[in-house]
Structures are given as structure tokens and as C-alpha cells.
PDB file of all heavy atoms in Angstrom:
ATOM      1  N   THR A  39      38.076   5.580 -54.973  1.00 87.00           N
ATOM      2  CA  THR A  39      36.695   5.078 -55.053  1.00 87.00           C
ATOM      3  C   THR A  39      36.565   3.957 -56.082  1.00 87.00           C
ATOM      4  O   THR A  39      35.975   2.907 -55.806  1.00 87.00           O
ATOM      5  CB  THR A  39      35.730   6.225 -55.412  1.00 87.00           C
ATOM      6  OG1 THR A  39      35.856   7.254 -54.436  1.00 87.00           O
ATOM      7  CG2 THR A  39      34.289   5.719 -55.441  1.00 87.00           C
ATOM      8  N   GLU A  40      37.115   4.162 -57.282  1.00 91.00           N
ATOM      9  CA  GLU A  40      37.000   3.146 -58.335  1.00 91.00           C
ATOM     10  C   GLU A  40      37.678   1.845 -57.933  1.00 91.00           C
ATOM     11  O   GLU A  40      37.163   0.749 -58.202  1.00 91.00           O
ATOM     12  CB  GLU A  40      37.608   3.667 -59.636  1.00 91.00           C
ATOM     13  CG  GLU A  40      36.794   4.761 -60.303  1.00 91.00           C
ATOM     14  CD  GLU A  40      37.385   5.156 -61.653  1.00 91.00           C
ATOM     15  OE1 GLU A  40      38.271   4.427 -62.157  1.00 91.00           O
ATOM     16  OE2 GLU A  40      36.952   6.183 -62.194  1.00 91.00           O
ATOM     17  N   GLU A  41      38.827   1.951 -57.299  1.00 92.00           N
ATOM     18  CA  GLU A  41      39.558   0.753 -56.874  1.00 92.00           C
ATOM     19  C   GLU A  41      38.754  -0.028 -55.827  1.00 92.00           C
ATOM     20  O   GLU A  41      38.712  -1.269 -55.869  1.00 92.00           O
ATOM     21  CB  GLU A  41      40.931   1.130 -56.297  1.00 92.00           C
ATOM     22  CG  GLU A  41      41.957   1.547 -57.319  1.00 92.00           C
ATOM     23  CD  GLU A  41      41.715   2.947 -57.878  1.00 92.00           C
ATOM     24  OE1 GLU A  41      40.929   3.702 -57.270  1.00 92.00           O
ATOM     25  OE2 GLU A  41      42.302   3.280 -58.924  1.00 92.00           O
ATOM     26  N   LYS A  42      38.113   0.694 -54.912  1.00 93.00           N
ATOM     27  CA  LYS A  42      37.299   0.029 -53.880  1.00 93.00           C
ATOM     28  C   LYS A  42      36.114  -0.685 -54.511  1.00 93.00           C
ATOM     29  O   LYS A  42      35.803  -1.830 -54.149  1.00 93.00           O
ATOM     30  CB  LYS A  42      36.807   1.047 -52.855  1.00 93.00           C
ATOM     31  CG  LYS A  42      37.902   1.633 -51.972  1.00 93.00           C
ATOM     32  CD  LYS A  42      37.317   2.515 -50.874  1.00 93.00           C
ATOM     33  CE  LYS A  42      36.550   3.684 -51.451  1.00 93.00           C
ATOM     34  NZ  LYS A  42      35.941   4.537 -50.442  1.00 93.00           N
ATOM     35  N   VAL A  43      35.462  -0.018 -55.459  1.00 95.00           N
ATOM     36  CA  VAL A  43      34.292  -0.605 -56.127  1.00 95.00           C
ATOM     37  C   VAL A  43      34.693  -1.856 -56.896  1.00 95.00           C
ATOM     38  O   VAL A  43      34.038  -2.907 -56.815  1.00 95.00           O
ATOM     39  CB  VAL A  43      33.627   0.417 -57.072  1.00 95.00           C
ATOM     40  CG1 VAL A  43      32.578  -0.255 -57.948  1.00 95.00           C
ATOM     41  CG2 VAL A  43      32.995   1.552 -56.263  1.00 95.00           C
ATOM     42  N   ARG A  44      35.797  -1.758 -57.645  1.00 96.00           N
ATOM     43  CA  ARG A  44      36.232  -2.901 -58.450  1.00 96.00           C
ATOM     44  C   ARG A  44      36.688  -4.062 -57.571  1.00 96.00           C
ATOM     45  O   ARG A  44      36.404  -5.225 -57.861  1.00 96.00           O
ATOM     46  CB  ARG A  44      37.344  -2.488 -59.419  1.00 96.00           C
ATOM     47  CG  ARG A  44      36.848  -1.670 -60.608  1.00 96.00           C
ATOM     48  CD  ARG A  44      37.897  -1.624 -61.719  1.00 96.00           C
ATOM     49  NE  ARG A  44      39.066  -0.873 -61.312  1.00 96.00           N
ATOM     50  CZ  ARG A  44      39.277   0.407 -61.596  1.00 96.00           C
ATOM     51  NH1 ARG A  44      38.370   1.095 -62.276  1.00 96.00           N
ATOM     52  NH2 ARG A  44      40.381   1.015 -61.209  1.00 96.00           N
ATOM     53  N   LEU A  45      37.410  -3.756 -56.484  1.00 96.00           N
ATOM     54  CA  LEU A  45      37.879  -4.810 -55.590  1.00 96.00           C
ATOM     55  C   LEU A  45      36.696  -5.535 -54.951  1.00 96.00           C
ATOM     56  O   LEU A  45      36.685  -6.772 -54.880  1.00 96.00           O
ATOM     57  CB  LEU A  45      38.793  -4.237 -54.506  1.00 96.00           C
ATOM     58  CG  LEU A  45      39.325  -5.247 -53.477  1.00 96.00           C
ATOM     59  CD1 LEU A  45      40.071  -6.393 -54.174  1.00 96.00           C
ATOM     60  CD2 LEU A  45      40.234  -4.564 -52.459  1.00 96.00           C
ATOM     61  N   ARG A  46      35.707  -4.775 -54.511  1.00 96.00           N
ATOM     62  CA  ARG A  46      34.520  -5.410 -53.919  1.00 96.00           C
ATOM     63  C   ARG A  46      33.814  -6.291 -54.954  1.00 96.00           C
ATOM     64  O   ARG A  46      33.390  -7.407 -54.643  1.00 96.00           O
ATOM     65  CB  ARG A  46      33.555  -4.345 -53.395  1.00 96.00           C
ATOM     66  CG  ARG A  46      32.274  -4.940 -52.800  1.00 96.00           C
ATOM     67  CD  ARG A  46      31.413  -3.925 -52.082  1.00 96.00           C
ATOM     68  NE  ARG A  46      31.975  -3.610 -50.768  1.00 96.00           N
ATOM     69  CZ  ARG A  46      32.567  -2.477 -50.464  1.00 96.00           C
ATOM     70  NH1 ARG A  46      32.705  -1.524 -51.383  1.00 96.00           N
ATOM     71  NH2 ARG A  46      33.046  -2.270 -49.254  1.00 96.00           N
ATOM     72  N   SER A  47      33.735  -5.800 -56.183  1.00 97.00           N
ATOM     73  CA  SER A  47      33.090  -6.570 -57.248  1.00 97.00           C
ATOM     74  C   SER A  47      33.847  -7.870 -57.526  1.00 97.00           C
ATOM     75  O   SER A  47      33.238  -8.939 -57.680  1.00 97.00           O
ATOM     76  CB  SER A  47      33.024  -5.721 -58.524  1.00 97.00           C
ATOM     77  OG  SER A  47      32.518  -6.463 -59.605  1.00 97.00           O
ATOM     78  N   HIS A  48      35.182  -7.790 -57.582  1.00 97.00           N
ATOM     79  CA  HIS A  48      35.994  -8.991 -57.825  1.00 97.00           C
ATOM     80  C   HIS A  48      35.834 -10.003 -56.687  1.00 97.00           C
ATOM     81  O   HIS A  48      35.727 -11.209 -56.933  1.00 97.00           O
ATOM     82  CB  HIS A  48      37.474  -8.621 -57.960  1.00 97.00           C
ATOM     83  CG  HIS A  48      37.777  -7.809 -59.178  1.00 97.00           C
ATOM     84  ND1 HIS A  48      37.113  -7.960 -60.365  1.00 97.00           N
ATOM     85  CD2 HIS A  48      38.705  -6.819 -59.394  1.00 97.00           C
ATOM     86  CE1 HIS A  48      37.593  -7.117 -61.259  1.00 97.00           C
ATOM     87  NE2 HIS A  48      38.564  -6.415 -60.694  1.00 97.00           N
ATOM     88  N   CYS A  49      35.823  -9.514 -55.444  1.00 96.00           N
ATOM     89  CA  CYS A  49      35.681 -10.409 -54.285  1.00 96.00           C
ATOM     90  C   CYS A  49      34.318 -11.104 -54.295  1.00 96.00           C
ATOM     91  O   CYS A  49      34.217 -12.302 -53.998  1.00 96.00           O
ATOM     92  CB  CYS A  49      35.861  -9.633 -52.980  1.00 96.00           C
ATOM     93  SG  CYS A  49      37.558  -9.108 -52.643  1.00 96.00           S
ATOM     94  N   GLU A  50      33.287 -10.356 -54.635  1.00 96.00           N
ATOM     95  CA  GLU A  50      31.941 -10.940 -54.688  1.00 96.00           C
ATOM     96  C   GLU A  50      31.843 -11.978 -55.806  1.00 96.00           C
ATOM     97  O   GLU A  50      31.217 -13.031 -55.635  1.00 96.00           O
ATOM     98  CB  GLU A  50      30.899  -9.832 -54.885  1.00 96.00           C
ATOM     99  CG  GLU A  50      30.724  -8.965 -53.639  1.00 96.00           C
ATOM    100  CD  GLU A  50      29.852  -7.745 -53.890  1.00 96.00           C
ATOM    101  OE1 GLU A  50      29.499  -7.494 -55.063  1.00 96.00           O
ATOM    102  OE2 GLU A  50      29.527  -7.039 -52.912  1.00 96.00           O
ATOM    103  N   TYR A  51      32.490 -11.694 -56.934  1.00 95.00           N
ATOM    104  CA  TYR A  51      32.487 -12.644 -58.042  1.00 95.00           C
ATOM    105  C   TYR A  51      33.280 -13.900 -57.675  1.00 95.00           C
ATOM    106  O   TYR A  51      32.902 -15.026 -58.019  1.00 95.00           O
ATOM    107  CB  TYR A  51      33.073 -11.984 -59.294  1.00 95.00           C
ATOM    108  CG  TYR A  51      32.993 -12.811 -60.547  1.00 95.00           C
ATOM    109  CD1 TYR A  51      31.820 -13.476 -60.888  1.00 95.00           C
ATOM    110  CD2 TYR A  51      34.087 -12.935 -61.397  1.00 95.00           C
ATOM    111  CE1 TYR A  51      31.735 -14.240 -62.050  1.00 95.00           C
ATOM    112  CE2 TYR A  51      34.009 -13.694 -62.561  1.00 95.00           C
ATOM    113  CZ  TYR A  51      32.835 -14.343 -62.872  1.00 95.00           C
ATOM    114  OH  TYR A  51      32.759 -15.101 -64.008  1.00 95.00           O
ATOM    115  N   PHE A  52      34.378 -13.701 -56.961  1.00 95.00           N
ATOM    116  CA  PHE A  52      35.197 -14.821 -56.485  1.00 95.00           C
ATOM    117  C   PHE A  52      34.349 -15.750 -55.617  1.00 95.00           C
ATOM    118  O   PHE A  52      34.372 -16.977 -55.788  1.00 95.00           O
ATOM    119  CB  PHE A  52      36.385 -14.278 -55.686  1.00 95.00           C
ATOM    120  CG  PHE A  52      37.410 -15.320 -55.307  1.00 95.00           C
ATOM    121  CD1 PHE A  52      38.492 -15.586 -56.131  1.00 95.00           C
ATOM    122  CD2 PHE A  52      37.304 -16.020 -54.118  1.00 95.00           C
ATOM    123  CE1 PHE A  52      39.442 -16.536 -55.787  1.00 95.00           C
ATOM    124  CE2 PHE A  52      38.244 -16.976 -53.760  1.00 95.00           C
ATOM    125  CZ  PHE A  52      39.318 -17.232 -54.601  1.00 95.00           C
ATOM    126  N   GLY A  53      33.582 -15.166 -54.684  1.00 94.00           N
ATOM    127  CA  GLY A  53      32.719 -15.969 -53.818  1.00 94.00           C
ATOM    128  C   GLY A  53      31.633 -16.688 -54.598  1.00 94.00           C
ATOM    129  O   GLY A  53      31.287 -17.834 -54.293  1.00 94.00           O
ATOM    130  N   LYS A  54      31.124 -16.050 -55.632  1.00 93.00           N
ATOM    131  CA  LYS A  54      30.087 -16.660 -56.474  1.00 93.00           C
ATOM    132  C   LYS A  54      30.630 -17.869 -57.235  1.00 93.00           C
ATOM    133  O   LYS A  54      29.991 -18.919 -57.303  1.00 93.00           O
ATOM    134  CB  LYS A  54      29.551 -15.612 -57.450  1.00 93.00           C
ATOM    135  CG  LYS A  54      28.445 -16.116 -58.361  1.00 93.00           C
ATOM    136  CD  LYS A  54      27.985 -15.013 -59.308  1.00 93.00           C
ATOM    137  CE  LYS A  54      26.922 -15.514 -60.285  1.00 93.00           C
ATOM    138  NZ  LYS A  54      26.502 -14.450 -61.228  1.00 93.00           N
ATOM    139  N   ILE A  55      31.825 -17.715 -57.797  1.00 92.00           N
ATOM    140  CA  ILE A  55      32.438 -18.810 -58.552  1.00 92.00           C
ATOM    141  C   ILE A  55      32.785 -19.986 -57.636  1.00 92.00           C
ATOM    142  O   ILE A  55      32.710 -21.151 -58.040  1.00 92.00           O
ATOM    143  CB  ILE A  55      33.698 -18.319 -59.299  1.00 92.00           C
ATOM    144  CG1 ILE A  55      33.321 -17.277 -60.343  1.00 92.00           C
ATOM    145  CG2 ILE A  55      34.435 -19.480 -59.966  1.00 92.00           C
ATOM    146  CD1 ILE A  55      32.353 -17.776 -61.390  1.00 92.00           C
ATOM    147  N   LEU A  56      33.135 -19.690 -56.384  1.00 92.00           N
ATOM    148  CA  LEU A  56      33.443 -20.759 -55.431  1.00 92.00           C
ATOM    149  C   LEU A  56      32.266 -21.711 -55.243  1.00 92.00           C
ATOM    150  O   LEU A  56      32.454 -22.902 -54.988  1.00 92.00           O
ATOM    151  CB  LEU A  56      33.826 -20.163 -54.065  1.00 92.00           C
ATOM    152  CG  LEU A  56      35.287 -19.788 -53.841  1.00 92.00           C
ATOM    153  CD1 LEU A  56      35.443 -19.138 -52.481  1.00 92.00           C
ATOM    154  CD2 LEU A  56      36.201 -20.988 -53.961  1.00 92.00           C
ATOM    155  N   THR A  57      31.045 -21.191 -55.335  1.00 89.00           N
ATOM    156  CA  THR A  57      29.857 -22.014 -55.102  1.00 89.00           C
ATOM    157  C   THR A  57      29.215 -22.503 -56.397  1.00 89.00           C
ATOM    158  O   THR A  57      28.214 -23.216 -56.358  1.00 89.00           O
ATOM    159  CB  THR A  57      28.813 -21.211 -54.304  1.00 89.00           C
ATOM    160  OG1 THR A  57      28.488 -20.005 -55.017  1.00 89.00           O
ATOM    161  CG2 THR A  57      29.355 -20.836 -52.937  1.00 89.00           C
ATOM    162  N   ALA A  58      29.775 -22.123 -57.539  1.00 87.00           N
ATOM    163  CA  ALA A  58      29.203 -22.530 -58.827  1.00 87.00           C
ATOM    164  C   ALA A  58      29.514 -23.992 -59.113  1.00 87.00           C
ATOM    165  O   ALA A  58      30.560 -24.497 -58.715  1.00 87.00           O
ATOM    166  CB  ALA A  58      29.749 -21.648 -59.950  1.00 87.00           C
ATOM    167  N   PRO A  59      28.611 -24.704 -59.808  1.00 84.00           N
ATOM    168  CA  PRO A  59      28.849 -26.126 -60.096  1.00 84.00           C
ATOM    169  C   PRO A  59      30.037 -26.368 -61.014  1.00 84.00           C
ATOM    170  O   PRO A  59      30.648 -27.426 -60.987  1.00 84.00           O
ATOM    171  CB  PRO A  59      27.537 -26.581 -60.763  1.00 84.00           C
ATOM    172  CG  PRO A  59      26.903 -25.322 -61.269  1.00 84.00           C
ATOM    173  CD  PRO A  59      27.311 -24.249 -60.315  1.00 84.00           C
ATOM    174  N   ASP A  60      30.380 -25.368 -61.839  1.00 78.00           N
ATOM    175  CA  ASP A  60      31.488 -25.539 -62.782  1.00 78.00           C
ATOM    176  C   ASP A  60      32.731 -24.756 -62.363  1.00 78.00           C
ATOM    177  O   ASP A  60      33.561 -24.409 -63.181  1.00 78.00           O
ATOM    178  CB  ASP A  60      31.069 -25.094 -64.188  1.00 78.00           C
ATOM    179  CG  ASP A  60      30.659 -23.624 -64.227  1.00 78.00           C
ATOM    180  OD1 ASP A  60      30.375 -23.066 -63.152  1.00 78.00           O
ATOM    181  OD2 ASP A  60      30.622 -23.036 -65.329  1.00 78.00           O
ATOM    182  N   ALA A  61      32.835 -24.457 -61.072  1.00 64.00           N
ATOM    183  CA  ALA A  61      33.978 -23.685 -60.589  1.00 64.00           C
ATOM    184  C   ALA A  61      35.283 -24.394 -60.912  1.00 64.00           C
ATOM    185  O   ALA A  61      35.364 -25.618 -60.864  1.00 64.00           O
ATOM    186  CB  ALA A  61      33.869 -23.468 -59.079  1.00 64.00           C
ATOM    187  N   ASN A  62      36.322 -23.622 -61.251  1.00 81.00           N
ATOM    188  CA  ASN A  62      37.617 -24.230 -61.527  1.00 81.00           C
ATOM    189  C   ASN A  62      38.745 -23.297 -61.122  1.00 81.00           C
ATOM    190  O   ASN A  62      38.562 -22.089 -61.017  1.00 81.00           O
ATOM    191  CB  ASN A  62      37.742 -24.613 -63.006  1.00 81.00           C
ATOM    192  CG  ASN A  62      37.619 -23.414 -63.913  1.00 81.00           C
ATOM    193  OD1 ASN A  62      38.544 -22.623 -64.026  1.00 81.00           O
ATOM    194  ND2 ASN A  62      36.471 -23.245 -64.560  1.00 81.00           N
ATOM    195  N   GLY A  63      39.898 -23.893 -60.907  1.00 86.00           N
ATOM    196  CA  GLY A  63      41.046 -23.147 -60.406  1.00 86.00           C
ATOM    197  C   GLY A  63      41.539 -22.068 -61.342  1.00 86.00           C
ATOM    198  O   GLY A  63      41.978 -21.012 -60.897  1.00 86.00           O
ATOM    199  N   LYS A  64      41.479 -22.324 -62.670  1.00 89.00           N
ATOM    200  CA  LYS A  64      41.971 -21.337 -63.623  1.00 89.00           C
ATOM    201  C   LYS A  64      41.153 -20.050 -63.548  1.00 89.00           C
ATOM    202  O   LYS A  64      41.702 -18.951 -63.537  1.00 89.00           O
ATOM    203  CB  LYS A  64      41.935 -21.915 -65.040  1.00 89.00           C
ATOM    204  CG  LYS A  64      43.019 -22.945 -65.305  1.00 89.00           C
ATOM    205  CD  LYS A  64      43.003 -23.408 -66.751  1.00 89.00           C
ATOM    206  CE  LYS A  64      44.130 -24.402 -67.021  1.00 89.00           C
ATOM    207  NZ  LYS A  64      44.126 -24.883 -68.419  1.00 89.00           N
ATOM    208  N   LYS A  65      39.838 -20.183 -63.521  1.00 92.00           N
ATOM    209  CA  LYS A  65      38.981 -18.999 -63.469  1.00 92.00           C
ATOM    210  C   LYS A  65      39.205 -18.234 -62.170  1.00 92.00           C
ATOM    211  O   LYS A  65      39.315 -17.004 -62.166  1.00 92.00           O
ATOM    212  CB  LYS A  65      37.514 -19.405 -63.582  1.00 92.00           C
ATOM    213  CG  LYS A  65      36.551 -18.225 -63.664  1.00 92.00           C
ATOM    214  CD  LYS A  65      35.096 -18.685 -63.757  1.00 92.00           C
ATOM    215  CE  LYS A  65      34.806 -19.295 -65.100  1.00 92.00           C
ATOM    216  NZ  LYS A  65      33.357 -19.649 -65.253  1.00 92.00           N
ATOM    217  N   LEU A  66      39.286 -18.956 -61.058  1.00 94.00           N
ATOM    218  CA  LEU A  66      39.540 -18.303 -59.772  1.00 94.00           C
ATOM    219  C   LEU A  66      40.916 -17.635 -59.770  1.00 94.00           C
ATOM    220  O   LEU A  66      41.097 -16.577 -59.159  1.00 94.00           O
ATOM    221  CB  LEU A  66      39.450 -19.331 -58.641  1.00 94.00           C
ATOM    222  CG  LEU A  66      38.048 -19.890 -58.364  1.00 94.00           C
ATOM    223  CD1 LEU A  66      38.131 -21.072 -57.411  1.00 94.00           C
ATOM    224  CD2 LEU A  66      37.136 -18.819 -57.783  1.00 94.00           C
ATOM    225  N   GLY A  67      41.869 -18.243 -60.459  1.00 93.00           N
ATOM    226  CA  GLY A  67      43.200 -17.649 -60.568  1.00 93.00           C
ATOM    227  C   GLY A  67      43.162 -16.316 -61.298  1.00 93.00           C
ATOM    228  O   GLY A  67      43.822 -15.353 -60.890  1.00 93.00           O
ATOM    229  N   PHE A  68      42.382 -16.237 -62.387  1.00 95.00           N
ATOM    230  CA  PHE A  68      42.257 -14.989 -63.136  1.00 95.00           C
ATOM    231  C   PHE A  68      41.629 -13.898 -62.267  1.00 95.00           C
ATOM    232  O   PHE A  68      42.071 -12.743 -62.284  1.00 95.00           O
ATOM    233  CB  PHE A  68      41.402 -15.204 -64.391  1.00 95.00           C
ATOM    234  CG  PHE A  68      42.011 -16.146 -65.388  1.00 95.00           C
ATOM    235  CD1 PHE A  68      41.207 -16.970 -66.165  1.00 95.00           C
ATOM    236  CD2 PHE A  68      43.385 -16.224 -65.542  1.00 95.00           C
ATOM    237  CE1 PHE A  68      41.765 -17.846 -67.086  1.00 95.00           C
ATOM    238  CE2 PHE A  68      43.959 -17.096 -66.456  1.00 95.00           C
ATOM    239  CZ  PHE A  68      43.136 -17.911 -67.229  1.00 95.00           C
ATOM    240  N   ILE A  69      40.601 -14.277 -61.500  1.00 96.00           N
ATOM    241  CA  ILE A  69      39.937 -13.290 -60.631  1.00 96.00           C
ATOM    242  C   ILE A  69      40.901 -12.802 -59.554  1.00 96.00           C
ATOM    243  O   ILE A  69      40.942 -11.604 -59.238  1.00 96.00           O
ATOM    244  CB  ILE A  69      38.673 -13.895 -59.982  1.00 96.00           C
ATOM    245  CG1 ILE A  69      37.684 -14.345 -61.055  1.00 96.00           C
ATOM    246  CG2 ILE A  69      37.998 -12.862 -59.064  1.00 96.00           C
ATOM    247  CD1 ILE A  69      36.532 -15.173 -60.523  1.00 96.00           C
ATOM    248  N   SER A  70      41.683 -13.705 -58.994  1.00 96.00           N
ATOM    249  CA  SER A  70      42.626 -13.306 -57.935  1.00 96.00           C
ATOM    250  C   SER A  70      43.678 -12.337 -58.471  1.00 96.00           C
ATOM    251  O   SER A  70      44.147 -11.451 -57.750  1.00 96.00           O
ATOM    252  CB  SER A  70      43.292 -14.538 -57.320  1.00 96.00           C
ATOM    253  OG  SER A  70      44.191 -15.148 -58.230  1.00 96.00           O
ATOM    254  N   GLN A  71      44.050 -12.492 -59.755  1.00 96.00           N
ATOM    255  CA  GLN A  71      44.996 -11.544 -60.363  1.00 96.00           C
ATOM    256  C   GLN A  71      44.393 -10.142 -60.426  1.00 96.00           C
ATOM    257  O   GLN A  71      45.068  -9.149 -60.156  1.00 96.00           O
ATOM    258  CB  GLN A  71      45.368 -12.016 -61.761  1.00 96.00           C
ATOM    259  CG  GLN A  71      46.274 -13.237 -61.781  1.00 96.00           C
ATOM    260  CD  GLN A  71      46.547 -13.720 -63.194  1.00 96.00           C
ATOM    261  OE1 GLN A  71      46.253 -13.046 -64.169  1.00 96.00           O
ATOM    262  NE2 GLN A  71      47.100 -14.926 -63.304  1.00 96.00           N
ATOM    263  N   GLU A  72      43.104 -10.065 -60.778  1.00 96.00           N
ATOM    264  CA  GLU A  72      42.426  -8.764 -60.834  1.00 96.00           C
ATOM    265  C   GLU A  72      42.306  -8.164 -59.437  1.00 96.00           C
ATOM    266  O   GLU A  72      42.464  -6.946 -59.253  1.00 96.00           O
ATOM    267  CB  GLU A  72      41.033  -8.922 -61.463  1.00 96.00           C
ATOM    268  CG  GLU A  72      41.052  -9.359 -62.922  1.00 96.00           C
ATOM    269  CD  GLU A  72      41.839  -8.382 -63.785  1.00 96.00           C
ATOM    270  OE1 GLU A  72      41.662  -7.164 -63.643  1.00 96.00           O
ATOM    271  OE2 GLU A  72      42.655  -8.857 -64.612  1.00 96.00           O
ATOM    272  N   MET A  73      42.037  -8.988 -58.453  1.00 97.00           N
ATOM    273  CA  MET A  73      41.989  -8.517 -57.063  1.00 97.00           C
ATOM    274  C   MET A  73      43.335  -7.922 -56.663  1.00 97.00           C
ATOM    275  O   MET A  73      43.405  -6.870 -56.021  1.00 97.00           O
ATOM    276  CB  MET A  73      41.620  -9.677 -56.127  1.00 97.00           C
ATOM    277  CG  MET A  73      40.186 -10.159 -56.273  1.00 97.00           C
ATOM    278  SD  MET A  73      39.894 -11.796 -55.527  1.00 97.00           S
ATOM    279  CE  MET A  73      40.234 -11.465 -53.793  1.00 97.00           C
ATOM    280  N   GLY A  74      44.406  -8.606 -57.064  1.00 96.00           N
ATOM    281  CA  GLY A  74      45.754  -8.130 -56.733  1.00 96.00           C
ATOM    282  C   GLY A  74      46.053  -6.769 -57.340  1.00 96.00           C
ATOM    283  O   GLY A  74      46.682  -5.922 -56.699  1.00 96.00           O
ATOM    284  N   ARG A  75      45.593  -6.552 -58.586  1.00 96.00           N
ATOM    285  CA  ARG A  75      45.823  -5.250 -59.235  1.00 96.00           C
ATOM    286  C   ARG A  75      45.154  -4.124 -58.457  1.00 96.00           C
ATOM    287  O   ARG A  75      45.742  -3.055 -58.252  1.00 96.00           O
ATOM    288  CB  ARG A  75      45.298  -5.287 -60.667  1.00 96.00           C
ATOM    289  CG  ARG A  75      46.137  -6.137 -61.605  1.00 96.00           C
ATOM    290  CD  ARG A  75      45.736  -5.909 -63.053  1.00 96.00           C
ATOM    291  NE  ARG A  75      46.506  -6.777 -63.944  1.00 96.00           N
ATOM    292  CZ  ARG A  75      46.086  -7.948 -64.395  1.00 96.00           C
ATOM    293  NH1 ARG A  75      44.884  -8.391 -64.057  1.00 96.00           N
ATOM    294  NH2 ARG A  75      46.844  -8.681 -65.198  1.00 96.00           N
ATOM    295  N   GLU A  76      43.916  -4.351 -58.047  1.00 96.00           N
ATOM    296  CA  GLU A  76      43.187  -3.301 -57.312  1.00 96.00           C
ATOM    297  C   GLU A  76      43.807  -3.047 -55.938  1.00 96.00           C
ATOM    298  O   GLU A  76      43.909  -1.903 -55.490  1.00 96.00           O
ATOM    299  CB  GLU A  76      41.708  -3.683 -57.170  1.00 96.00           C
ATOM    300  CG  GLU A  76      40.983  -3.932 -58.475  1.00 96.00           C
ATOM    301  CD  GLU A  76      41.110  -2.784 -59.463  1.00 96.00           C
ATOM    302  OE1 GLU A  76      41.220  -1.622 -59.034  1.00 96.00           O
ATOM    303  OE2 GLU A  76      41.118  -3.043 -60.683  1.00 96.00           O
ATOM    304  N   ILE A  77      44.233  -4.114 -55.277  1.00 96.00           N
ATOM    305  CA  ILE A  77      44.863  -3.967 -53.961  1.00 96.00           C
ATOM    306  C   ILE A  77      46.175  -3.189 -54.090  1.00 96.00           C
ATOM    307  O   ILE A  77      46.472  -2.295 -53.270  1.00 96.00           O
ATOM    308  CB  ILE A  77      45.092  -5.346 -53.305  1.00 96.00           C
ATOM    309  CG1 ILE A  77      43.755  -5.980 -52.924  1.00 96.00           C
ATOM    310  CG2 ILE A  77      45.979  -5.219 -52.060  1.00 96.00           C
ATOM    311  CD1 ILE A  77      43.862  -7.427 -52.461  1.00 96.00           C
ATOM    312  N   ASN A  78      46.947  -3.489 -55.100  1.00 94.00           N
ATOM    313  CA  ASN A  78      48.212  -2.773 -55.308  1.00 94.00           C
ATOM    314  C   ASN A  78      47.979  -1.293 -55.593  1.00 94.00           C
ATOM    315  O   ASN A  78      48.711  -0.438 -55.090  1.00 94.00           O
ATOM    316  CB  ASN A  78      48.985  -3.405 -56.473  1.00 94.00           C
ATOM    317  CG  ASN A  78      49.605  -4.739 -56.101  1.00 94.00           C
ATOM    318  OD1 ASN A  78      49.900  -5.006 -54.941  1.00 94.00           O
ATOM    319  ND2 ASN A  78      49.789  -5.605 -57.082  1.00 94.00           N
ATOM    320  N   THR A  79      46.962  -0.995 -56.403  1.00 92.00           N
ATOM    321  CA  THR A  79      46.652   0.405 -56.707  1.00 92.00           C
ATOM    322  C   THR A  79      46.172   1.148 -55.470  1.00 92.00           C
ATOM    323  O   THR A  79      46.521   2.309 -55.259  1.00 92.00           O
ATOM    324  CB  THR A  79      45.583   0.491 -57.822  1.00 92.00           C
ATOM    325  OG1 THR A  79      45.990  -0.300 -58.930  1.00 92.00           O
ATOM    326  CG2 THR A  79      45.397   1.932 -58.280  1.00 92.00           C
ATOM    327  N   LEU A  80      45.373   0.468 -54.656  1.00 91.00           N
ATOM    328  CA  LEU A  80      44.934   1.061 -53.378  1.00 91.00           C
ATOM    329  C   LEU A  80      46.139   1.474 -52.543  1.00 91.00           C
ATOM    330  O   LEU A  80      46.180   2.573 -51.987  1.00 91.00           O
ATOM    331  CB  LEU A  80      44.107   0.041 -52.589  1.00 91.00           C
ATOM    332  CG  LEU A  80      42.592   0.017 -52.779  1.00 91.00           C
ATOM    333  CD1 LEU A  80      41.977  -1.111 -51.951  1.00 91.00           C
ATOM    334  CD2 LEU A  80      41.978   1.341 -52.377  1.00 91.00           C
TER     335      LEU A  80
END
């Protein structure tokens, strides 16, 4: 349950940063790393 909640939260944040005026690759890279951790634990 926790992994699903966190993964959904990371994905939603990823989508939010994609549309932000100050979006950048480094920040998206950090979020993708967190997504990977949750997916691996799942």
C-alpha cells in the first residue's frame, strides 16, 4: 500500500514539474530516481 501511494505521488509530482515554468532536467531526474525505488520495491 505505501509503495503504491508513494509511486502515485511521485508520478503526479513528475507531471506537475513537466508543466512548471521553471522545470528542469535535474529535478525531473531526482523524481524519476524516487519512482524507480518504489517500482523496485513493488
Side-chain angles (χ1 to χ4, degrees):
T39 303
E40 289 185 12
E41 286 75 15
K42 291 187 299 178
V43 170
R44 285 196 293 264
L45 178 56
R46 178 171 283 108
S47 175
H48 293 326
C49 288
E50 289 171 352
Y51 186 45
F52 188 91
K54 181 181 177 182
I55 296 300
L56 273 176
T57 57
D60 60 342
N62 61 75
K64 286 184 178 179
K65 185 181 289 185
L66 291 170
F68 296 147
I69 300 170
S70 70
Q71 288 176 12
E72 295 302 315
M73 291 164 63
R75 288 192 183 96
E76 302 307 329
I77 291 171
N78 286 334
T79 308
L80 269 177

